[in-house]
Amino acid sequence: MSPSGEPEVGSDGPRQKGKATPDTLKVGCIAHVTKDGQPRRAEILSIKETKSGRQFYCNFDNFNKRLDEWVPVSRIDFEQDVEWPNSEKDKQKDAKNKKSTVVSKKSQPSKKTQKKVGKREQSVASEGQTPHPWTEFVESQNKADGEDRANASLEVGATPGVGPDEMELDEDETPASAAKKEHTQSFSREQEIEKLRTSGSMTQNPAEISRIRNISQVEFGRYVLFPWYFSPYPEVFGREDSIYICEFCLSYYGDLKSFSRHRQKCTLQHPPGNEIYRDDFVSFYEIDGRRQRTWCRNLCLLSKMFLDHKTLYYDVDPFLFYVMTTRDEKGSHLIGYFSKEKESADAYNVACILTLPQYQRKGYGRLLIQFSYELSKIEGKLGSPEKPLSDLGLLSYRQYWSENILDLLLVYSEGQEKCTIETIATRLAMTTQDVEHTLQALKMQVYHKGEHKIVIPEKLVQQREKSKAKQKRVIDPERIQWKPPVFTAASRTWGW
Ligand code: ACO
Ligand code: ZN
């Protein structure tokens, strides 16, 4: 794993090196490719012929997948050796990874096979058990004060989760049996995408179709969006220069003519649910995945273009969707949303969260996160977002947690009352684990005379004052019109 958290390209072992030409460079090779004026190692994921010549789809070392791009020959340095793919090894690994989609608690894989499980498979199999997102950050601190923690006077029971769930891997699989399976499992690209859309699992994807962004451009209301990741829209949509999505009902169209016809007929002007919050700035709607299956599936397809690691597209029944909009004379326009399980065994209060790219970095993510915690407060529960978090998700949550804990502590510091981790957790509806990790990351926990104490460094107070001056909007909890919905077991899932 690279420092940025992205898998390193070519991390599958040593590779043979040699010179390549534009004709011999093939999928799986690692070449030196210019990005932002710098030469970077990049894995070639696909090759296509265009009117202007051959193009190579590159995944750059240390860069998030959303920065993958098609590059012309001129950006590849053929003076340098390329690293050839380990073909035989790859096939075996591929076969194993395919098998690894079977999640089972029955058998323990050997350490060797555990290592070989790809990152995406891990993240699916380990949902709910991934170490805390701040674990890496604070690991060294934990090590340093491991013994102190044992004596801590503040009761904190939570420890970061263990590794990924066990997976059943077929150790005996030979290349021949893998090839046979490959044959029986071979799908057309079209079938494969249909299967992805209707199963919602990225791991059932022998052709690794999902590694390559399929939609290049989306017209959405008055915005043009440039997707970051693959989303399983029907195969034909991938061949269009631009697709069209109705910003209200979220139906998708491959051509302008049918889209225009739809727009004339479409009467929806806001998300199809109850408006549970309204202020001068935004509204929130609550939508039941079971009652509004098509709309919610369409929302998931849309959001998959900007979310890399979540698998939900089709089985939306067990989820509620909290959708934030902004109003004008034309209607309520989608800004972002979060989904939430009707009943979460892991006490998650958010499954997926997204601000559409045209609204990002304007403070809407904070509003979405705040709203999710306000709902938890009403429920009287402590909540946390589903893991793993994306890079942007982690940045946003860290910011939210830090700001809110600091604000609360500043209020407490003025009074006499003692503030413990439990008090913070209850007041903010955050898990004690998230509170403790945040305090550690901000170096706000000190060990003094056999006791853990919370301190507020002066620098943080000053920083917070500055950022508060910039921060314009917050959710007004008084305006939330919501009672925790009650579901029967049948209404949480599929109707059959
Ligand atoms: N670079 C650096 N910091 C960032 C960035 C960024 N690109 N984006 C957010 N942050 C941090 C900043 O600290 C920011 O505060 P600041 O602007 O005052 O510095 C803070 O997060 C909040 O930013 P917002 O503007 O409120 O957040 P935004 O509306 O951009 O939404 C979100 C954040 C939802 C994560 C958005 O980036 C997004 O939709 N990303 C794609 C989907 C995704 O990754 N979702 C999270 C997946 S994890 C999960 O679903 C549980
Ligand atoms: Zn419509």
Side-chain angles (χ1 to χ4, degrees):
M1 193 76 75
S2 69
S4 64
E6 298 304 319
E8 265 170 62
V9 299
S11 51
D12 57 342
R15 289 167 167 239
Q16 284 208 339
K17 293 185 181 180
K19 292 276 183 292
T21 67
D23 289 327
T24 59
L25 190 65
K26 58 179 183 174
V27 170
C29 282
I30 295 169
H32 286 82
V33 182
T34 312
K35 183 166 187 70
D36 305 329
Q38 298 267 341
R40 306 264 178 199
R41 280 175 81 235
E43 183 179 350
I44 310 296
L45 298 183
S46 184
I47 301 174
K48 69 177 179 186
E49 300 297 337
T50 67
K51 281 181 202 144
S52 54
R54 191 167 288 190
Q55 300 245 343
F56 299 84
Y57 193 83
C58 295
N59 170 240
F60 295 89
D61 202 8
N62 270 324
F63 279 78
N64 186 285
K65 257 170 73 179
R66 69 177 161 271
L67 301 165
D68 290 2
E69 57 178 324
W70 288 102
V71 306
V73 172
S74 60
R75 279 178 54 191
I76 302 172
D77 184 356
F78 288 101
E79 298 283 298
Q80 303 249 17
D81 281 350
V82 304
E83 296 165 47
W84 298 101
N86 294 326
S87 49
E88 265 319 301
K89 227 165 132 190
D90 272 1
K91 269 185 208 152
Q92 283 180 28
K93 196 182 97 189
D94 206 36
K96 283 190 175 174
N97 279 352
K98 252 174 272 158
K99 196 74 202 286
S100 75
T101 59
V102 183
V103 178
S104 160
K105 292 191 195 284
K106 279 187 303 205
S107 63
Q108 281 275 12
S110 68
K111 281 208 172 109
K112 198 173 106 224
T113 47
Q114 251 179 344
K115 256 194 196 153
K116 285 189 177 176
V117 176
K119 183 191 169 215
R120 265 171 300 159
E121 283 78 357
Q122 278 199 10
S123 65
V124 171
S126 66
E127 264 174 58
Q129 294 205 20
T130 325
H132 191 275
W134 269 17
T135 304
E136 263 171 55
F137 190 82
V138 294
E139 211 166 46
S140 51
Q141 280 175 295
N142 281 355
K143 261 187 212 139
D145 75 353
E147 276 158 35
D148 292 351
R149 279 162 55 85
N151 297 327
S153 66
L154 293 166
E155 273 283 304
V156 183
T159 46
V162 291
D165 230 345
E166 289 82 31
M167 294 173 209
E168 196 177 32
L169 301 182
D170 191 346
E171 285 285 1
D172 302 328
E173 194 156 51
T174 61
S177 67
K180 193 168 160 219
K181 196 146 82 220
E182 180 84 50
H183 180 71
T184 51
Q185 284 195 348
S186 74
F187 303 100
S188 73
R189 188 183 156 83
E190 195 174 339
Q191 284 170 319
E192 189 55 39
I193 293 179
E194 287 307 305
K195 198 161 147 261
L196 274 177
R197 186 166 63 254
T198 54
S199 71
S201 172
M202 281 302 196
T203 54
Q204 299 176 1
N205 182 20
E208 294 237 345
I209 283 172
S210 65
R211 289 190 76 186
I212 299 165
R213 194 187 301 124
N214 52 334
I215 308 292
S216 25
Q217 189 178 303
V218 182
E219 295 205 20
F220 184 81
R222 58 192 179 92
Y223 297 99
V224 177
L225 313 182
F226 297 95
W228 299 351
Y229 308 115
F230 172 91
S231 179
Y233 283 101
E235 217 260 321
V236 286
F237 281 65
R239 289 182 232 137
E240 303 293 342
D241 291 333
S242 184
I243 70 164
Y244 303 84
I245 299 182
C246 173
E247 62 162 329
F248 296 112
C249 72
L250 310 182
S251 319
Y252 38 91
Y253 297 86
D255 65 289
L256 185 58
K257 214 167 143 195
S258 33
F259 173 65
S260 308
R261 234 180 289 136
H262 166 79
R263 282 300 306 142
Q264 278 164 10
K265 285 187 296 186
C266 183
T267 52
L268 211 60
Q269 283 186 314
H270 59 76
N274 291 332
E275 189 177 357
I276 56 169
Y277 178 86
R278 181 187 282 221
D279 64 23
D280 297 342
F281 187 52
V282 294
S283 286
F284 269 87
Y285 291 82
E286 181 185 55
I287 296 124
D288 183 335
R290 185 164 190 262
R291 286 166 185 247
Q292 298 293 341
R293 254 179 217 152
T294 306
W295 194 90
C296 294
R297 282 175 185 163
N298 287 345
L299 178 65
C300 291
L301 278 174
L302 168 68
S303 71
K304 178 63 196 70
M305 291 191 280
F306 306 100
L307 264 165
D308 186 30
H309 59 301
K310 296 289 170 148
T311 57
L312 162 78
Y313 319 111
Y314 206 66
D315 186 7
V316 291
D317 288 25
F319 294 87
L320 289 163
F321 294 79
Y322 294 93
V323 178
M324 185 167 66
T325 61
T326 168
R327 283 178 312 276
D328 67 12
E329 65 289 351
K330 292 210 173 93
S332 290
H333 306 272
L334 179 65
I335 300 173
Y337 81 101
F338 63 89
S339 55
K340 177 173 179 169
E341 276 175 287
K342 291 174 181 171
E343 206 160 284
S344 168
D346 303 290
Y348 292 136
N349 63 356
V350 163
C352 287
I353 185 163
L354 172 87
T355 303
L356 283 172
Q358 69 271 31
Y359 292 107
Q360 284 176 11
R361 285 316 293 274
K362 296 180 198 294
Y364 291 107
R366 267 197 191 79
L367 297 183
L368 287 166
I369 296 174
Q370 190 198 340
F371 201 84
S372 72
Y373 281 107
E374 297 299 346
L375 295 188
S376 295
K377 284 180 201 167
I378 299 172
E379 289 175 307
K381 290 182 183 168
L382 307 183
S384 186
E386 189 176 305
K387 315 302 174 304
L389 296 175
S390 67
D391 55 347
L392 296 175
L394 179 56
L395 284 170
S396 308
Y397 268 97
R398 273 180 185 171
Q399 187 70 15
Y400 178 85
W401 290 331
S402 309
E403 285 173 359
N404 283 277
I405 291 176
L406 196 55
D407 287 352
L408 185 70
L409 288 174
L410 288 171
V411 172
Y412 269 88
S413 68
E414 286 163 12
Q416 293 302 310
E417 212 184 321
K418 210 174 158 224
C419 191
T420 63
I421 285 179
E422 278 70 22
T423 323
I424 302 173
T426 316
R427 289 287 301 271
L428 300 178
M430 282 171 58
T431 60
T432 49
Q433 198 183 4
D434 288 343
V435 174
E436 202 197 10
H437 280 96
T438 308
L439 290 175
Q440 286 175 1
L442 293 175
K443 300 204 167 56
M444 286 169 72
Q445 252 189 326
V446 290
Y447 185 62
H448 181 68
K449 292 187 182 164
E451 236 194 304
H452 264 298
K453 285 209 161 69
I454 299 171
V455 293
I456 313 175
E458 188 50 36
K459 207 171 136 210
L460 282 182
V461 181
Q462 286 164 6
Q463 275 173 4
R464 180 64 189 132
E465 243 130 57
K466 268 196 209 148
S467 70
K468 238 183 174 166
K470 273 199 306 181
Q471 194 179 331
K472 283 172 234 114
R473 293 175 179 101
V474 288
I475 296 294
D476 174 6
E478 299 283 304
R479 292 177 191 248
I480 301 177
Q481 307 255 316
W482 185 78
K483 271 206 218 103
V486 182
F487 296 99
T488 61
S491 70
R492 275 196 298 273
T493 51
W494 289 91
W496 54 52

